[in-house]
Amino acid sequence: MLNLSNISVSFGGRDLYKNISFQINNKDKIGVVGKNGAGKSTLLKLITGDQLPTSGSIQKQNNSSIGYLPQELKVHSEEPILEEVLKANQEVFTLTKQLDNINDELVSRTDYESDSYLKLIEELSELNERLIHLNADNQLKDAELILKGLGFSQEELSQPYNQFSGGWKMRVELAKLLIQKPDVVLLDEPTNHLDIESIQWLEKYLVNYLGIILLISHDKTFLDNITNRTIELANGKAYDYKCNYSKYITLREEEIITQIAAKKNQEKMVKHTQELINKFRAKKNKAAFAQTLIKKLEKVEEIEIDQLENDRIKFQFPDPVHSGKETLKIKGLSKSFDEKTIFKDVDISISNGDKIALIGKNGMGKSTLIKSIVKDIEFEGEINLGHQVMIGYFAQDEAQKLNPNISVFDTIDEVAVGEIRKKIRQILGSFLFSGDDAEKKVQVLSGGEKTRLSLCKLLLQPNNFLILDEPTNHLDMASKEILKEALLNYKGTLLLVSHDRDFLDGLTDKVYFIKDQSVKVYHEKVSQFIKSYYSSIADSNIKTDPKKSKKSNNKKQLNKQRSIENRISKLEDQLVALEYDLYKSTEAPEVKKLQDKIASIKSEIELSFQKLLELSD
């Protein structure tokens, strides 16, 4: 379908990649990976023809259609979004017109055996096949299903395109691409503006898609569930693997280990051969043998070891300031925008050390809840912080809050105080701003660089309550792993909004789920919540008789029991760790603190067992 031959792209004397070649076949679902700046987006633009290579060629199969979803929006429209999506499929309109013209001509002709008549019949057949593939008879239904799958309500389908925010416009653009059913789909970070529910819908859609897919994403789970092939762009080369992302990582590491071993063996052989040459070169009866060895060495091709892109941020949160047992108390929180109610009488209590994933469909109030907590917006009700609680807040638009007119160094220097000012360059270096990079103006930084700089600012205070709203946007996979590891080791309280399932899983032990103007609390990991929640939705969508209803109630009860059992297991693990710390402790204040914590956890375990017993009864 597509053949890329000896493609080179150079910018300002630097090779982005040099002489890369690969073929893309029907039904390939390819994850395009590599660190920021490796040329992933450029590769998609080369395939669309929006950008030309410095050298090399790209051959495309005749009449193959290509659909491309870029990261930037360039569309302005006042049409209702449903009409905007229906209008996008120009191919259906054009083919239908061609079909009508051929039918009109066939009706008027009588030369049924002529070559030209038979050719028209052939064209008619091809047009019908293409229209069937595009599901032309069901365009309206398809458009509605796609838009609803991407999170729009029925009422919103008739609202004008230009009334939606950038994230929701991007969903419309994705719907416009999908309804065209192109032979080749090129997606550049399609999940950036989607919530978990919409991501799962898109995932299922793409898994069953019949065409070719090239997908750029930093969402490991999304890549693993869709792709059957991975192309890594690194070191100016393309590394091609017939597997998904996780398998590719394993194979890539094994391959480099093999290269290192082969390189060592080659070095031993070269060293031994050189020793023989030096030994026999001066001897007349061995000179010919020495010359043979010299020629042998000249023919040896040196084994090169592929260098993994190991540049990554080094991230570790400072030890937080000690705070009280209760981090946050919310009572009777209500919030409305004009006539739309976001929350009504919400009560929440967050304890010291909680790691919480805040989940819900976009527009349900995740960011509104966070902005209420940090007092960025007005609200009704009470929100009180616990004793000595210090909030570190990373907003979705944190990168846009940076002053574009000052340097990277000055950005950190403005907020650094005390001894830490002596370590600014060291800190910036750990976030990949080394040497002259520290003097760059913020306005020339990429999205990923601005995100890294904003995260760097979080290090400058020992906050004991981190509130992070989509902190992984624009971060590559390596940087996300480092951030996740740092958060796993963080000793404070964490409230985290993210749609990245792999990033969330194992990081949090509670889920706050926003729906129907309220916040429900689940004591379980994100993966378990998603599994149980979506299975319960499937149950509720089935019209049930009393027997099925009883099964549904049993399933809900089992989910509750499983949630409590997971919580008990987590508490028992904490108890073992605390008792071990108590065994090692010798300082009286520390011993007293540990004893209080142990007593509190034992009490919570006992209460959880009581709830479990009531459910069993």
Side-chain angles (χ1 to χ4, degrees):
M1 180 67 79
L2 287 169
N3 187 45
L4 286 79
S5 180
N6 295 317
I7 298 294
S8 294
V9 174
S10 301
F11 293 111
R14 183 180 76 89
D15 290 327
L16 190 60
Y17 21 79
K18 190 171 183 179
N19 296 329
I20 65 171
S21 299
F22 55 87
Q23 186 171 319
I24 300 172
N25 305 307
N26 290 328
K27 297 187 179 179
D28 274 348
K29 291 183 168 64
I30 301 171
V32 182
V33 301
K35 74 172 187 177
N36 292 341
K40 302 186 295 295
S41 297
T42 299
L43 179 64
L44 301 194
K45 291 174 184 175
L46 290 172
I47 293 172
T48 62
D50 290 346
Q51 189 168 325
L52 296 176
T54 306
S55 62
S57 61
I58 300 176
Q59 288 83 40
K60 306 169 189 175
Q61 188 170 311
N62 290 339
N63 301 322
S64 63
S65 55
I66 295 176
Y68 173 44
L69 181 75
Q71 289 191 46
E72 304 85 17
L73 277 172
K74 296 180 181 177
V75 178
H76 303 282
S77 172
E78 297 180 0
E79 292 274 3
I81 60 171
L82 180 59
E83 294 300 319
E84 183 72 15
V85 172
L86 288 170
K87 247 174 57 178
N89 207 338
Q90 287 293 320
E91 186 180 3
V92 169
F93 177 79
T94 303
L95 293 178
T96 302
K97 192 171 182 181
Q98 290 176 3
L99 192 73
D100 291 341
N101 291 338
I102 291 174
N103 278 321
D104 289 343
E105 188 173 349
L106 288 174
V107 167
S108 64
R109 292 178 59 163
T110 56
D111 54 332
Y112 308 123
E113 302 297 329
S114 68
D115 290 342
S116 61
Y117 190 91
L118 294 175
K119 187 177 180 182
L120 282 176
I121 294 292
E122 187 178 335
E123 287 180 22
L124 186 71
S125 176
E126 289 175 357
L127 287 171
N128 273 315
E129 283 182 18
R130 182 61 183 165
L131 286 168
I132 289 170
H133 171 71
L134 294 171
N135 201 18
D137 291 338
N138 295 302
Q139 286 290 287
L140 179 60
K141 181 182 175 184
D142 277 1
E144 288 185 347
L145 285 173
I146 291 171
L147 285 168
K148 287 177 182 177
L150 292 173
F152 292 96
S153 64
Q154 182 67 44
E155 295 74 25
E156 288 173 325
L157 302 188
S158 58
Q159 293 178 14
Y161 179 96
N162 60 1
Q163 287 187 10
F164 290 91
S165 65
W168 287 95
K169 286 177 181 175
M170 190 61 79
R171 295 186 190 211
V172 177
E173 293 307 305
L174 178 55
K176 287 163 67 174
L177 185 156
L178 295 178
I179 201 169
Q180 296 176 60
K181 295 184 172 64
D183 300 309
V184 182
V185 174
L186 308 176
L187 301 175
D188 196 345
E189 295 289 357
T191 65
N192 268 0
H193 304 284
L194 302 182
D195 50 56
I196 289 177
E197 196 168 320
S198 298
I199 288 172
Q200 293 200 132
W201 178 88
L202 179 60
E203 202 171 80
K204 290 176 183 176
Y205 187 95
L206 295 178
V207 164
N208 295 310
Y209 194 76
L210 297 177
I212 290 170
I213 296 172
L214 268 77
L215 169 63
I216 298 173
S217 178
H218 291 150
D219 187 326
K220 179 181 173 184
T221 303
F222 191 66
L223 282 173
D224 278 350
N225 290 343
I226 295 170
T227 61
N228 54 24
R229 183 176 170 190
T230 301
I231 293 177
E232 180 196 13
L233 298 175
N235 313 308
K237 302 176 184 177
Y239 301 89
D240 193 352
Y241 294 83
K242 304 295 189 290
C243 57
N244 68 15
Y245 180 80
S246 291
K247 181 65 175 174
Y248 137 77
I249 288 292
T250 302
L251 292 176
R252 190 85 171 93
E253 289 173 350
E254 289 173 354
E255 189 176 79
I256 290 177
I257 289 170
T258 302
Q259 287 178 346
I260 290 170
K263 176 75 170 175
K264 286 181 179 178
N265 288 334
Q266 187 184 67
E267 287 173 348
K268 286 179 183 177
M269 182 274 291
V270 169
K271 183 181 178 183
H272 179 65
T273 305
Q274 191 62 56
E275 286 173 353
L276 289 175
I277 292 169
N278 294 339
K279 182 178 180 181
F280 297 125
R281 180 180 279 163
K283 297 181 180 180
K284 290 183 180 179
N285 59 338
K286 297 291 185 180
F289 177 58
Q291 286 300 315
T292 303
L293 293 176
I294 290 170
K295 289 178 181 178
K296 178 184 175 183
L297 275 188
E298 288 172 350
K299 292 178 181 178
V300 171
E301 291 186 11
E302 185 178 350
I303 295 172
E304 292 184 5
I305 299 172
D306 293 331
Q307 295 297 315
L308 286 174
E309 301 287 8
N310 285 325
D311 289 345
R312 54 174 64 190
I313 60 175
K314 299 174 182 65
F315 199 107
Q316 183 177 351
F317 288 101
D319 289 339
V321 173
H322 180 69
S323 62
K325 289 183 179 180
E326 188 171 69
T327 297
L328 180 75
K329 184 78 172 179
I330 296 178
K331 189 174 181 182
L333 174 65
S334 298
K335 177 63 184 176
S336 299
F337 291 104
D338 297 326
E339 297 180 358
K340 183 179 180 181
T341 300
I342 307 299
F343 296 120
K344 190 173 181 181
D345 296 327
V346 170
D347 296 332
I348 294 173
S349 178
I350 296 177
S351 300
N352 186 7
D354 279 349
K355 301 284 179 71
I356 301 163
L358 183 58
I359 289 177
K361 291 181 70 173
N362 286 357
M364 290 295 103
K366 299 188 296 294
S367 294
T368 300
L369 176 62
I370 285 174
K371 288 176 181 178
S372 299
I373 292 172
V374 299
K375 310 295 172 68
D376 268 3
I377 58 174
E378 295 182 355
F379 55 86
E380 295 178 6
E382 296 180 19
I383 298 180
N384 297 309
L385 295 176
H387 178 62
Q388 287 190 335
V389 171
M390 294 174 58
I391 292 179
Y393 174 41
F394 183 94
Q396 273 194 40
D397 61 346
E398 199 67 34
Q400 278 69 53
K401 293 179 182 178
L402 298 171
N403 185 341
N405 300 315
I406 64 174
S407 70
V408 170
F409 182 90
D410 289 338
T411 299
I412 301 302
D413 189 43
E414 279 187 347
V415 291
V417 293
E419 288 297 310
I420 202 166
R421 295 193 66 189
K422 298 176 183 178
K423 300 180 180 179
I424 290 178
R425 289 197 178 274
Q426 180 184 336
I427 292 170
L428 286 172
S430 70
F431 279 80
L432 308 185
F433 296 108
S434 56
D436 293 340
D437 291 337
E439 305 306 325
K440 283 182 180 177
K441 288 285 196 293
V442 170
Q443 62 190 0
V444 304
L445 300 181
S446 67
E449 287 171 328
K450 288 177 181 176
T451 299
R452 294 204 311 267
L453 186 58
S454 299
L455 285 169
C456 183
K457 290 176 69 177
L458 278 179
L459 282 179
L460 300 178
Q461 287 185 329
N463 301 302
N464 48 30
F465 184 20
L466 287 179
I467 301 177
L468 309 180
D469 194 355
E470 300 287 6
T472 63
N473 280 356
H474 307 295
L475 289 184
D476 58 30
M477 291 195 188
S479 296
K480 283 200 298 186
E481 285 298 316
I482 298 298
L483 176 58
K484 181 174 180 177
E485 186 179 339
L487 290 171
L488 282 168
N489 295 320
Y490 176 62
K491 297 175 183 176
T493 305
L494 174 65
L495 181 61
L496 173 64
V497 176
S498 177
H499 58 251
D500 190 317
R501 292 159 292 173
D502 180 69
F503 183 74
L504 286 172
D505 201 30
L507 179 54
T508 58
D509 48 27
K510 280 185 183 179
V511 171
Y512 279 15
F513 184 54
I514 298 182
K515 188 180 181 183
D516 301 330
Q517 302 172 6
S518 66
V519 181
K520 295 182 180 179
V521 181
Y522 297 82
H523 295 277
E524 58 190 0
K525 293 181 179 179
V526 168
S527 57
Q528 181 59 46
F529 166 75
I530 290 173
K531 184 178 179 182
S532 57
Y533 173 70
Y534 286 106
S535 64
S536 68
I537 286 180
D539 288 342
S540 67
N541 287 337
I542 301 171
K543 191 174 181 180
T544 57
D545 58 29
K547 289 182 180 178
K548 288 183 179 177
S549 180
K550 185 177 180 181
K551 286 181 181 178
S552 176
N553 289 334
N554 288 341
K555 192 173 186 73
K556 289 177 183 176
Q557 183 168 315
L558 284 171
N559 286 334
K560 287 181 181 179
Q561 288 176 338
R562 193 180 296 117
S563 175
I564 295 173
E565 287 166 357
N566 288 340
R567 178 62 179 158
I568 291 172
S569 177
K570 186 81 174 177
L571 288 168
E572 287 174 339
D573 288 344
Q574 290 178 23
L575 187 61
V576 170
L578 285 169
E579 287 174 339
Y580 179 71
D581 288 343
L582 182 63
Y583 169 76
K584 293 190 301 179
S585 296
T586 56
E587 300 292 331
E590 181 67 12
V591 167
K592 180 67 170 64
K593 189 172 85 171
L594 288 168
Q595 287 173 336
D596 290 345
K597 187 71 174 175
I598 287 169
S600 173
I601 287 181
K602 282 182 176 178
S603 175
E604 195 170 348
I605 289 173
E606 190 174 329
L607 186 63
S608 297
F609 271 118
Q610 183 61 38
K611 288 180 181 177
L612 200 58
L613 185 61
E614 289 170 3
L615 277 173
S616 299
D617 291 339

